[in-house]
Amino acid sequence: KMLRFLVCLGKRGSHPLSFVNTRLVPTRFLSSQPPQESNTNPPKNGSDSTTPVVESPSDTSSEYQQTQSKSTEPLNPDLTRSVTSKSRGSIFSARSFVYMGVVCVVMFIADRFYRSKQKKIALPSSKFAGKPAIGGPFTLVDCQDGVPIGDNQFRGKFLLVYFGFTLCPDVCPTELRKVDQVIRNLDQKPGTSNLLQPIFVTLDPWRDSVEQVRNYVKDYNPRLIGLTGTPQQTEGVARAYRVYSSKGPSDKNDQYLIDHSIFLYLMGPDGGFLEYYGQNKSEKEITESIEKYLNEYKAELNPSPWRSLVNMFSK
């Protein structure tokens, strides 16, 4: 009776039938014909009216056949169409897709927020675990203009620093040509030409005058800046950068060589040490390494909309 009541409500377009699935409800309950009453024999004269009458097998079989024939009657087309359309529409709808999109966006923001927090937590440990204390404040003489220059005047740019001397026979020219090729490679990349400044610091202030260093660096790259100073100033900068140098014995013409460590130092825009490159590093390897730092720095200066959204939630 309850199922029949729901079917009647469904015919009138009521909502309670929206969850009824025609595949789960027997067809005889959805039939528009009311069920036939069972055919029972009337009680005989003189017999008790409350005593049930046992039907014959033939009567029972005929009633079963009638019930089966009624159950196979076709369903009401309007009722079937309304039930199937409502059941399908309740599973996939525009609102469900909107909810799924909101959940995906929230999960993405939460993931980026968690990763940014983990990165901030890991930064202090990496600072004290592996990076040496290389670099520091200095004041030298710019050989291009002959005026004093300090490390704070290079803030906002990456520095590629090399220590040597102008009378070096082979090692220094090889490394400075490598610097020139790295600068040329990076100049071909968009947005990186003005971020890196190459610097040459002399370890021989006794012979490397301002004019001597100016003419020397011009032979390699026009952007290369040469720095010199007093012996105390150059020794202080070399000590800050952990550069080994030793003046060799002089010959009869007062000529000597300087034994020194051979490294290129990459310093960040804030003056902090980032990386060093030895003689075994090729121009391609140095270019790829520096380009990675430059791209990260550009991404921080001009973050994408997603990165800006993540940074806003991570504060």
Side-chain angles (χ1 to χ4, degrees):
K1 292 181 179 180
M2 182 61 66
L3 290 174
R4 188 165 182 77
F5 171 73
L6 294 176
V7 170
C8 294
L9 291 178
K11 290 181 179 181
R12 300 176 183 178
S14 302
H15 183 270
L17 193 61
S18 61
F19 60 88
V20 178
N21 194 334
T22 56
R23 291 176 296 179
L24 301 179
V25 180
T27 56
R28 62 176 177 273
F29 292 108
L30 298 178
S31 175
S32 60
Q33 299 292 335
Q36 299 292 334
E37 296 181 357
S38 61
N39 186 16
T40 57
N41 296 325
K44 296 181 179 180
N45 296 331
S47 62
D48 190 2
S49 60
T50 59
T51 304
V53 179
V54 179
E55 300 176 351
S56 62
S58 60
D59 295 338
T60 305
S61 60
S62 61
E63 180 184 359
Y64 176 76
Q65 293 175 359
Q66 292 177 1
T67 305
Q68 291 297 322
S69 62
K70 291 180 180 180
S71 64
T72 56
E73 294 180 1
L75 299 178
N76 190 346
D78 298 334
L79 177 61
T80 306
R81 190 181 302 109
S82 63
V83 171
T84 55
S85 62
K86 290 182 180 180
S87 62
R88 291 176 182 176
S90 61
I91 299 176
F92 299 104
S93 62
R95 182 178 298 178
S96 63
F97 283 107
V98 172
Y99 289 158
M100 291 173 60
V102 172
V103 170
C104 292
V105 171
V106 172
M107 293 179 62
F108 174 78
I109 295 176
D111 178 71
R112 301 292 294 181
F113 173 75
Y114 175 77
R115 291 177 182 273
S116 62
K117 287 294 184 183
Q118 294 296 321
K119 185 177 180 180
K120 290 181 179 179
I121 294 174
L123 281 179
S125 60
S126 62
K127 179 178 179 181
F128 296 101
K131 291 187 177 181
I134 293 179
F138 63 83
T139 300
L140 295 173
V141 178
D142 185 359
C143 296
Q144 184 176 0
D145 301 326
V147 296
I149 189 172
D151 61 293
N152 54 356
Q153 296 179 246
F154 296 103
R155 292 294 182 265
K157 289 188 176 182
F158 290 82
L159 302 181
L160 188 60
V161 186
Y162 179 76
F163 291 83
F165 61 105
T166 61
L167 298 179
C168 181
D170 51 3
V171 177
C172 294
T174 302
E175 294 301 306
L176 290 178
R177 280 194 292 267
K178 185 185 300 184
V179 171
D180 173 64
Q181 187 60 45
V182 170
I183 297 299
R184 294 179 184 274
N185 293 340
L186 292 175
D187 286 345
Q188 298 176 0
K189 309 293 182 180
T192 60
S193 59
N194 297 325
L195 294 178
L196 183 65
Q197 175 60 59
I199 293 178
F200 170 80
V201 181
T202 181
L203 296 174
D204 188 10
W206 301 276
R207 294 180 298 182
D208 289 345
S209 62
V210 173
E211 183 178 1
Q212 176 77 10
V213 175
R214 183 194 303 125
N215 296 330
Y216 181 75
V217 297
K218 286 182 180 179
D219 295 336
Y220 297 99
N221 192 279
R223 292 174 50 192
L224 182 61
I225 294 178
L227 302 180
T228 187
T230 64
Q232 292 77 13
Q233 289 176 328
T234 56
E235 289 176 4
V237 177
R239 191 180 306 110
Y241 279 79
R242 309 293 180 89
V243 176
Y244 164 78
S245 64
S246 176
K247 185 177 178 181
S250 302
D251 58 11
K252 59 181 180 179
N253 296 324
D254 200 20
Q255 296 296 320
Y256 55 87
L257 295 176
I258 295 180
D259 184 21
H260 62 89
S261 54
I262 307 168
F263 291 103
L264 290 169
Y265 298 93
L266 180 65
M267 312 300 291
D270 58 349
F273 169 76
L274 295 178
E275 193 64 77
Y276 70 91
Y277 311 102
Q279 285 183 284
N280 58 335
K281 294 292 183 179
S282 63
E283 295 89 344
K284 182 179 179 181
E285 293 174 332
I286 298 175
T287 302
E288 293 176 353
S289 176
I290 297 177
E291 184 181 4
K292 180 188 68 175
Y293 287 104
L294 296 181
N295 291 335
E296 292 178 357
Y297 181 67
K298 290 191 300 182
E300 293 179 359
L301 293 179
N302 302 309
S304 61
W306 280 111
R307 189 178 182 88
S308 301
L309 183 63
V310 172
N311 293 337
M312 181 180 66
F313 281 95
S314 61
K315 292 181 180 180

